[in-house]
DNA sequence: AAGATTTGACCTGG
DNA sequence: CCAGGTCAAATCTT
């Protein structure tokens, strides 16, 4: 029985402030972007402006979230979602169930390729501990329930549910609930990932390192692309930022006005497991994504391309632990300047996911 | 031995 | 009452 209300709120506020600050820094970086400025000024101006625009949106989102947060005192103020109005009348006798209502939720979809293992719970960079599995009415496959490993130690409330798709068994729907509030950041090679996955991790990490060291494009190729599908995004209508996993502990929270909205990210993983993301273990948040609302129907639809324009020096700062300068150690993702266009082509090689 | 997973029981909201 | 979510004892793994 934890009473995380105040604690949660504090954390949220802290992270929002951090995120805001980082966004500010990003803006500075964007404004003084050195290398590509002169030569590529003309060619990249549009994307550059887009970056500035993104920063502004991010900042305004943070402002909004912070003001929402500070305008109220009680933890229940987090329940600023549209649906909260419905639940306002609900008796607040049960903190747990109430907490359930206030946690931001979003959904990813993964497509796996048969043959390879699916250990690590589709390792998304966080360490999860399975606490339940249940058959779901009308679903062929059971749903797995995971919570953050550091739940007890750090009170991290993040949970996720993993369910294999009925129609396409290679597709997994992963629903994340709550942002990570734990602060552990692991280093390369010391990830608490699923043991049987570690050999694979090592290999992949090496690939990653090589990708980083050789060319950012290689990494991008590894990333392939991903596609975002959003669902139930009732309040947000413009794409802001997508980080598929746990890159960015500092920009991870969904804005308060978006709590309970759900976005779906579809991605295939080809030959490159996201386990390389284990370098950012349990930061303070998983991804933050939003997108224009689009109906969510079958498979991979409603593709919405996200354009990221990370700079070499900028991204690690965003996509790393907020607590310290572990950038180079965490991901060190070197994105080339310019557009990063993602489509679903990651492929998981896991089959024992629901063993 | 400690931590993770499994699994049936229990709890809660609709 | 039922489906979904969580708990916790038993079991497994390292």
């Amino acid at each position: 029985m934890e009473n995380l209300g105040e604690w949660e709120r504090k954390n949220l506020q802290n992270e929002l402030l951090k995120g805001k600050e980082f966004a500010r820094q990003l803006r500075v970086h964007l404004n003084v972007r050195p290398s590509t400025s002169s030569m590529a000024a003309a060619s990249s101006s549009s994307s550059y402006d887009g970056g500035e625009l993104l920063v502004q949106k991010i900042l305004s989102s943070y402002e909004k979230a912070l003001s929402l947060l500070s305008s109220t005192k009680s933890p229940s103020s987090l329940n600023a979602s549209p649906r909260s109005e419905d639940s306002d009348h609900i008796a607040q006798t049960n903190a747990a169930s109430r907490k359930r209502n206030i946690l931001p939720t979003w959904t990813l979809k993964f497509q796996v390729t048969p043959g390879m293992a699916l250990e690590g719970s589709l390792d998304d960079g966080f360490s999860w501990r399975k606490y339940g599995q249940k058959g779901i009415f009308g679903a062929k496959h059971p749903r797995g329930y995971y919570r953050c490993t550091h739940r007890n130690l750090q009170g991290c409330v993040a949970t996720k549910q993993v369910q294999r798709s009925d129609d396409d068994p290679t597709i997994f729907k992963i629903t994340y609930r709550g942002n990570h509030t734990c602060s552990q950041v692991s280093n390369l090679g010391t990830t608490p990932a699923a043991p049987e996955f570690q050999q694979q991790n090592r290999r992949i990490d090496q690939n990653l390192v090589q990708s980083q060291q050789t060319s950012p494009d290689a990494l991008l190729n590894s990333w392939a692309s991903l596609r975002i599908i959003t669902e139930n995004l009732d309040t947000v209508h413009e794409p802001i930022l997508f980080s598929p996993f746990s890159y960015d502990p500092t920009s991870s929270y969904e804005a308060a006005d978006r709590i309970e909205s759900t976005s779906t990210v579809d991605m295939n993983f080809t030959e490159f497991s996201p386990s390389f993301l284990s370098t950012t273990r349990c930061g303070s948040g998983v991804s933050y994504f939003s997108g224009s609302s689009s109906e969510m129907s079958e498979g991979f639809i409603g593709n919405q391309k996200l354009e990221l324009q990370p700079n070499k020096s900028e991204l690690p700062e965003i996509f790393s632990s907020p607590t310290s300068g572990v950038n180079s150690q965490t991901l060190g993702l070197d994105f080339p300047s310019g557009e990063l266009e993602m489509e679903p082509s990651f492929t998981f090689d896991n089959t024992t996911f629901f063993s």
Side-chain angles (χ1 to χ4, degrees):
Chain A
M1 288 181 56
E2 68 259 63
N3 185 11
L4 294 169
E6 279 301 325
W7 190 84
E8 226 177 355
R9 187 168 170 276
K10 249 186 164 180
N11 258 292
L12 178 55
Q13 190 164 24
N14 278 339
E15 292 303 325
L16 284 171
L17 287 169
K18 280 190 219 164
K20 190 177 157 189
E21 179 55 30
F22 280 117
R24 275 211 194 98
Q25 292 181 22
L26 174 61
R27 166 186 269 169
V28 171
H29 278 291
L30 283 174
N31 285 337
V32 295
R33 217 161 67 169
S35 59
T36 60
S37 56
S38 59
M39 185 189 75
S43 61
S44 68
S45 63
S46 61
S47 57
Y48 172 72
D49 292 343
E52 172 63 21
L53 192 64
L54 277 178
V55 173
Q56 281 179 10
K57 286 177 179 174
I58 293 170
L59 279 172
S60 73
S61 288
Y62 279 121
E63 291 283 3
K64 207 168 169 183
L66 281 167
S67 66
L68 278 170
L69 197 59
S70 59
S71 67
T72 52
K73 296 189 181 88
S74 72
S76 61
S77 64
L78 281 176
N79 199 352
S81 69
R83 214 200 293 186
S84 71
E85 293 160 13
D86 313 338
S87 51
D88 276 346
H89 68 282
I90 295 176
Q92 306 183 9
T93 55
N94 189 323
S97 61
R98 231 190 121 60
K99 188 170 63 182
R100 200 180 297 167
N101 285 333
I102 67 176
L103 293 176
T105 300
W106 61 95
T107 301
L108 310 187
K109 278 173 137 188
F110 294 93
Q111 183 161 34
V112 307
T113 54
M116 287 172 72
L118 196 65
E119 304 92 329
S121 302
L122 295 171
D123 188 357
D124 51 13
F126 296 100
S127 47
W128 300 99
R129 175 170 176 173
K130 190 173 187 175
Y131 67 89
Q133 175 170 303
K134 197 154 178 57
I136 299 303
F137 181 79
K140 296 175 186 171
H141 309 282
R143 176 178 299 170
Y145 297 89
Y146 300 83
R147 65 165 65 104
C148 179
T149 304
H150 310 104
R151 181 188 203 224
N152 294 329
L153 289 175
Q154 303 184 35
C156 184
V157 297
T159 63
K160 75 171 178 180
Q161 302 174 4
V162 182
Q163 178 137 40
R164 176 171 268 174
S165 169
D166 282 343
D167 7 289
D168 189 349
T170 66
I171 293 178
F172 290 84
K173 187 175 178 180
I174 304 181
T175 300
Y176 292 88
R177 180 183 297 154
N179 288 298
H180 283 271
T181 53
C182 53
S183 58
Q184 175 178 344
V185 176
S186 74
N187 298 321
L188 276 172
T190 61
T191 89
E196 64 269 29
F197 208 30
Q198 286 182 350
Q199 296 93 354
Q200 199 177 348
N201 275 349
R202 247 171 260 130
R203 182 173 54 79
I204 289 166
D205 284 343
Q206 286 175 0
N207 285 345
L208 175 63
V209 169
Q210 282 188 351
S211 295
Q212 293 174 224
Q213 290 175 345
T214 54
S215 94
D217 299 273
L219 179 59
L220 279 185
N221 289 338
S222 301
W223 264 69
S225 45
L226 92 200
R227 189 183 301 177
I228 294 184
I229 294 177
T230 61
E231 62 180 321
N232 304 333
L233 279 180
D234 29 344
T235 54
V236 172
H237 302 290
E238 61 287 339
I240 297 181
L241 171 68
F242 168 68
S243 91
F245 300 102
S246 52
Y247 289 139
D248 181 11
T250 66
S251 67
S252 56
Y253 289 108
E254 300 206 356
D257 63 346
R258 211 176 307 118
I259 285 176
E260 285 211 357
S261 69
T262 298
S263 54
T264 297
V265 176
D266 285 345
M267 48 190 93
N268 287 332
F269 288 81
T270 43
E271 91 179 9
F272 207 84
S273 159
S275 65
F276 66 81
L277 294 169
S278 59
T279 48
T280 57
R281 179 79 43 187
C282 226
S284 60
V286 190
S287 7
Y288 171 127
F289 17 80
S290 66
S292 52
S293 35
S294 66
E295 72 289 353
M296 149 88 183
S297 53
E298 71 283 351
F300 302 107
I301 50 98
N303 52 341
Q304 176 172 359
K305 286 175 183 171
L306 257 278
E307 295 174 355
L308 304 181
Q309 304 167 292
N311 207 336
K312 284 190 176 183
S313 55
E314 295 156 3
L315 258 184
E317 186 169 341
I318 301 178
F319 289 169
S320 65
S321 165
T323 55
S324 64
V326 290
N327 300 346
S328 58
Q329 186 70 342
T330 54
L331 264 188
L333 282 179
D334 270 0
F335 288 91
S337 46
E339 294 184 0
L340 170 58
E341 199 176 66
M342 297 173 141
E343 291 175 357
S345 45
F346 283 152
T347 297
F348 270 114
D349 300 316
N350 299 312
T351 48
T352 62
F353 190 35
F354 274 120
S355 57

